[in-house]
Amino acid sequence: MKVNIHSVAQEAGVSIATVSKVINHTGSISEQTRKKVLAAMDKLNYHRDIAAASLRGKRTNAIGLLVPDISNPFYADIARSIEDRSRELGFSVMMCNTDNDADKEKNYLSLLTSQRIDGLVVASAFRSTDLLEEMMEKQGVPIVLIASEIPKLSINTVTVDDYKGGYLAASHLLSLGHKRIAIIAENVRSNEPRLAAFKDAMQEAELPVPDEYIVKTEALIQKGYESAKQLLSLEERPTAIFACNDLLAAGVIQAAKEIDLSIPQDLSVVGFDNTVLSTTTSPMLTTISQPIKEMGAKVVELLMQEMEASRSYKERLLLSPELMIRQSTASLH
């Protein structure tokens, strides 16, 4: 027997109209009732016919999510937080991995448009900004950004204060007495304020940052490893390294161990993001924590607001990071 909206209503003990309101995110429904309907949908494994709903001109209750690299724990955590909040509000998420490739971006936007998504969350630098603009203005698809910014577009955005995060990382290492501090940054927009804050903190401490102490690369453990090998082979090697994400920091730890440097006795390491990697490295990583769960919830809520009624003004939510001190940093001996 095919499961339909009538089956869900009967299982939940509510009217068909109530189930429809929950599915279509319309009307006034209590949280208790909404959860009861969603539980019934889960139990019966009920899925809406998206194509049919689209032909009727109704919402599909599906949103798209573009991430650059789902193998990066930060984006995996972002995706999970977005999916959790979306599901609470009765929406499913269609996730696409772009690899920061313009052709993939174009193809995925075409795919998501054909699926008639109700809105789109972009969690990557996104190279094809003209396509996003067309999607918003000509096709009327609400779009929000998370953990990235596109200054030329008027668009709702949720980010963390990257400058504050970079300053916290540098200040922590300076407070431990380190003077030779290097930085490994990723070649993305979000790392620019992290690098700027690092330089500012060092300048305030009246400490030089040699050009060779600044490395820019990709967000891969292997790249963190290679960058650290380069830094640690210098005649005046750094006593501390700020890696602008946890993947790079994990690579730094690998490189240090390979040449028998003890962490944190010989080298202090700070990461950024506070992903699962930060508690699985040995020693556990001191890092800058982004409020990932809050970021995911906020971006979904902004998208829902935009879906209800597009506003001429857009919000830029800037959330605050925190320093998480663990075992990878120590006072300079």
Side-chain angles (χ1 to χ4, degrees):
M1 178 180 172
K2 184 178 179 180
V3 176
N4 54 31
I5 193 170
H6 301 270
S7 314
V8 175
Q10 185 174 7
E11 176 67 29
V14 299
S15 68
I16 293 171
T18 297
V19 175
S20 178
K21 287 178 181 178
V22 171
I23 290 173
N24 292 299
H25 196 57
T26 58
S28 178
I29 301 290
S30 71
E31 185 70 10
Q32 182 178 3
T33 300
R34 186 184 60 77
K35 287 183 176 178
K36 190 188 298 184
V37 172
L38 292 177
M41 290 169 66
D42 272 345
K43 181 176 179 181
L44 299 175
N45 196 27
Y46 172 75
H47 302 286
R48 295 189 67 212
D49 186 337
I50 290 178
S54 299
L55 290 172
R56 292 194 299 270
K58 295 181 179 179
R59 282 186 176 169
T60 59
N61 282 71
I63 64 174
L65 170 61
L66 297 180
V67 298
D69 182 7
I70 197 60
S71 66
N72 184 327
F74 172 70
Y75 290 109
D77 289 348
I78 283 285
R80 179 58 186 267
S81 67
I82 289 171
E83 184 179 35
D84 286 348
R85 185 58 179 144
S86 297
R87 184 155 186 77
E88 287 175 0
L89 296 173
F91 284 74
S92 58
V93 177
M94 300 174 64
M95 191 191 71
C96 304
N97 192 84
T98 69
D99 292 318
N100 285 319
D101 180 272
D103 288 336
K104 283 189 175 183
E105 290 172 356
K106 183 178 180 180
N107 291 336
Y108 280 135
L109 285 187
S110 178
L111 170 65
L112 293 170
T113 300
S114 72
Q115 293 296 312
R116 306 227 180 182
I117 54 170
D118 295 325
L120 176 67
V121 179
V122 178
S124 68
F126 211 84
R127 303 176 191 282
S128 310
T129 54
D130 55 327
L131 295 178
L132 285 184
E133 196 167 16
E134 180 181 339
M135 200 171 183
M136 285 190 296
E137 294 183 358
K138 294 185 179 179
Q139 300 174 35
V141 178
I143 300 176
V144 293
L145 303 180
I146 184 169
S148 65
E149 294 183 272
I150 303 176
K152 77 174 212 175
L153 295 184
S154 176
I155 193 166
N156 289 306
T157 305
V158 178
T159 59
V160 73
D161 190 335
D162 289 299
Y163 183 91
K164 180 179 179 181
Y167 197 87
L168 284 172
S171 297
H172 173 62
L173 292 171
L174 289 167
S175 73
L176 295 173
H178 293 279
K179 297 186 183 340
R180 299 200 307 271
I181 307 173
I183 182 170
I184 304 174
E186 187 187 351
N187 269 314
V188 292
R189 189 178 291 117
S190 65
N191 277 210
E192 291 171 7
R194 298 177 195 180
L195 176 56
F198 169 80
K199 289 179 177 178
D200 287 348
M202 294 295 285
Q203 186 175 21
E204 288 172 15
E206 299 182 347
L207 293 171
V209 182
D211 290 343
E212 59 267 29
Y213 273 26
I214 300 173
V215 182
K216 293 185 178 180
T217 186
E218 300 170 67
L220 298 168
I221 291 177
Q222 180 64 24
K223 293 299 183 181
Y225 168 86
E226 292 170 3
S227 300
K229 292 280 279 189
Q230 173 185 326
L231 289 166
L232 296 174
S233 66
L234 294 172
E235 186 175 343
E236 285 248 304
R237 69 169 180 81
T239 63
I241 296 176
F242 168 35
C244 286
N245 62 55
D246 290 348
L247 284 170
L248 293 172
V252 172
I253 290 174
Q254 283 185 1
K257 287 183 175 180
E258 189 173 281
I259 57 174
D260 294 324
L261 288 181
S262 177
I263 296 176
Q265 290 78 14
D266 299 322
L267 179 72
S268 283
V269 182
V270 176
F272 202 112
D273 290 337
N274 196 34
T275 62
V276 64
L277 271 178
S278 62
T279 55
T280 55
T281 57
S282 178
M284 289 195 291
L285 183 65
T286 294
T287 189
I288 304 299
S289 176
Q290 298 204 56
I292 293 174
K293 187 172 182 180
E294 183 182 0
M295 290 169 71
K298 292 287 187 186
V299 83
V300 171
E301 289 157 14
L302 277 179
L303 184 60
M304 299 300 160
Q305 290 172 20
E306 193 74 8
M307 284 161 52
E308 291 297 332
S310 181
R311 298 167 296 180
S312 58
Y313 70 92
K314 305 300 178 183
E315 293 188 51
R316 180 177 182 268
L317 299 183
L318 189 64
L319 304 183
S320 187
E322 293 182 12
L323 172 67
M324 304 292 293
I325 300 176
R326 297 195 177 97
Q327 289 82 48
S328 67
T329 53
S331 297
L332 185 64
H333 296 295

